[in-house]
């Protein structure tokens, strides 16, 4: 009998698990969840390698409800508002547990009483979100799981979300925009941002480098020169 929600994740081998609701065979690539206050007994076949995760029931349900805001898109009985703690078996596949194992390892050392509780809570939520994101399609109904559920690379648009506008290249872009009247060359720009000419020209700036005053040897003559729309 466990006070927490128990999640078993089988990586290698196989085992059988007995519960008050019946027996289940677990093979590599399967995950099994059982609510708090319920008993189970695990019997390995010849050998089995698995991860057992024990989660506070209230925490588990509240977090999962945030990950699945639309109950109608989730498999019947899987949504935390519908799950009564009965045995739940999902099959994300063999590859998923291997990818997720590093997350479980990080979770396992959070409660060693060496970290402040705020850090533990924040890090746990972060790792759990990454975990769910990796196996998200297995929780969704067939018609919804077929859609691309990968997180968006850039959920919003605009200059401030452009990864190329960060760091030295971002400094170079802003300098060119602010001092467009100056006769820039690759050499002078590299010195201004403390980079070598090779490093600067090897970088890949966005297509929004200003082209005013472009001439041979200037950055705007070497890089794409499509001017950005006004904002």
């Amino acid at each position: 009998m466990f006070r927490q929600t128990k999640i078993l994740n089988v990586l290698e081998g196989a085992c059988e698990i007995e519960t008050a609701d019946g027996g289940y065979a677990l093979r590599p690539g399967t995950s099994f969840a059982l609510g708090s206050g319920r008993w189970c007994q695990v019997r390995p076949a010849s050998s089995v390698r698995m991860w057992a995760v024990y989660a506070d029931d209230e925490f588990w349900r509240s977090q999962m409800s945030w990950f699945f805001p639309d109950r109608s898109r989730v498999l019947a009985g899987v949504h935390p508002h519908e799950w009564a703690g009965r045995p739940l078996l999902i099959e994300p596949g063999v590859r998923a547990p291997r990818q997720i194992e590093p997350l479980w390892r990080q979770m396992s050392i959070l409660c060693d009483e060496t970290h402040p509780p705020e850090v533990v809570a924040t890090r746990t939520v972060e790792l759990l979100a990454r975990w769910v994101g990796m196996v998200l399609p297995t929780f969704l109904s067939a018609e919804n799981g077929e859609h691309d559920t990968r997180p968006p690379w850039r959920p919003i648009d605009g200059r401030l979300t452009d990864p190329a506008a960060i760091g030295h290249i971002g400094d170079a872009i802003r300098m060119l925009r602010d001092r467009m009247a100056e006769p820039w060359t690759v050499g002078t720009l590299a010195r201004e941002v403390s980079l070598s000419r090779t490093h600067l020209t090897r970088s890949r700036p966005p297509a929004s480098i200003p082209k005013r005053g472009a001439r041979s040897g200037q950055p705007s003559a070497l890089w794409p020169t499509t001017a950005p729309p006004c904002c």
Side-chain angles (χ1 to χ4, degrees):
M1 192 80 69
F2 301 97
R3 293 179 296 173
Q4 301 88 8
T5 294
K6 180 183 177 103
I7 305 104
L8 298 178
N9 307 276
V10 180
L11 287 84
E12 300 172 3
C15 68
E16 292 184 355
I17 182 167
E18 288 292 332
T19 73
D21 299 281
Y24 300 83
L26 307 184
R27 59 181 184 275
T30 58
S31 295
F32 177 89
L34 192 65
S36 61
R38 296 171 178 266
W39 72 271
C40 67
Q41 184 178 30
V42 180
R43 292 196 300 270
S46 55
S47 65
V48 63
R49 189 165 81 89
M50 66 170 67
W51 273 88
V53 178
Y54 297 88
D56 177 82
D57 194 68
E58 183 178 354
F59 170 84
W60 177 259
R61 291 178 184 275
S62 64
Q63 292 300 314
M64 295 300 286
S65 64
W66 275 104
F67 298 144
F68 303 114
D70 188 347
R71 191 184 310 189
S72 65
R73 293 173 50 81
V74 182
L75 289 170
V78 173
H79 194 276
H81 291 166
E82 298 178 356
W83 185 52
R86 294 171 60 87
L88 176 63
L89 184 67
I90 62 171
E91 300 185 54
V94 177
R95 184 180 178 184
R98 293 174 182 170
Q99 292 178 320
I100 297 171
E101 185 175 8
L103 303 182
W104 295 330
R105 290 185 180 276
Q106 293 178 58
M107 285 185 181
S108 69
I109 62 174
L110 284 176
C111 296
D112 59 1
E113 299 183 354
T114 62
H115 307 288
E118 298 82 7
V119 173
V120 172
T122 302
R123 186 62 173 155
T124 299
V125 172
E126 176 190 350
L127 294 170
L128 180 60
R130 291 173 59 189
W131 173 8
V132 174
M134 290 181 178
V135 296
L136 187 57
T138 62
F139 291 98
L140 302 178
S141 57
E143 60 274 18
N144 294 311
E146 293 175 354
H147 299 293
D148 188 355
T149 54
R150 291 174 298 178
W153 173 245
R154 290 172 62 186
I156 56 177
D157 294 322
R159 294 177 186 171
L160 295 180
T161 66
D162 193 331
I166 301 173
H168 292 295
I169 297 305
D171 292 340
I173 293 169
R174 286 185 287 274
M175 193 172 297
L176 288 173
R177 289 200 180 107
D178 294 341
R179 298 159 57 181
M180 295 179 72
E182 298 185 25
W184 288 105
T185 66
V186 172
T188 56
L189 182 60
R191 285 193 295 273
E192 286 286 343
V193 295
S194 302
L195 287 178
S196 67
R197 290 169 56 95
T198 302
H199 198 109
L200 181 64
T201 55
R202 186 172 56 213
S203 303
R204 187 180 180 185
S208 58
I209 295 294
K211 60 179 179 180
R212 182 181 300 174
R215 70 181 185 181
S216 177
Q218 292 182 341
S220 53
L222 297 175
W223 294 334
T225 56
T226 303
C230 295
C231 58

